[in-house]
Amino acid sequence: MRIPCPYCGVRGVDEFSYLGDASLTRPDASAPNAEAAFADYVYLRDNPAGRHRELWQHAAGCQSWLVVTRDTRTHAIEQVEAARDVAAARASGAE
């Protein structure tokens, strides 16, 4: 698989480190059910077949964190975005 880094160009997957699902939202630590929410957040993951947004770091390159949208069945990459841009859009309510 080859990932198109927005800063370095297309690179082999061996240059990247996979973190996981990019659509998760960290639970509120002050919520009454925080312990259970954090247990679910850390240990319960879906394993989707199809379109999925994932967090990757270009570890052997520019060190940037990226949100990669790809099809988990074919590994076809649909979109790559800087994670900071995705986080800013989420914070502003644009996502």
Side-chain angles (χ1 to χ4, degrees):
M1 184 168 71
R2 301 195 34 92
I3 298 175
C5 175
Y7 307 107
C8 303
V10 178
R11 300 287 194 264
V13 72
D14 56 319
E15 289 190 15
F16 296 84
S17 295
Y18 173 78
L19 180 66
D21 189 345
S23 64
L24 297 176
T25 303
R26 187 181 179 97
D28 179 5
S30 63
N33 66 339
E35 188 173 342
F38 269 98
D40 290 352
Y41 173 77
V42 172
Y43 296 110
L44 299 181
R45 300 282 192 227
D46 291 331
N47 188 14
R51 188 174 189 265
H52 187 55
R53 295 183 79 195
E54 304 167 329
L55 194 56
W56 290 76
Q57 183 190 25
H58 194 177
C62 64
Q63 303 294 311
S64 293
W65 286 94
L66 307 170
V67 174
V68 176
T69 304
R70 73 179 180 99
D71 188 316
T72 59
R73 295 170 297 197
T74 64
H75 299 295
I77 294 175
E78 179 182 312
Q79 183 177 18
V80 178
E81 308 164 84
R84 67 174 170 234
D85 296 343
V86 173
R90 184 179 287 175
S92 71
E95 186 174 284

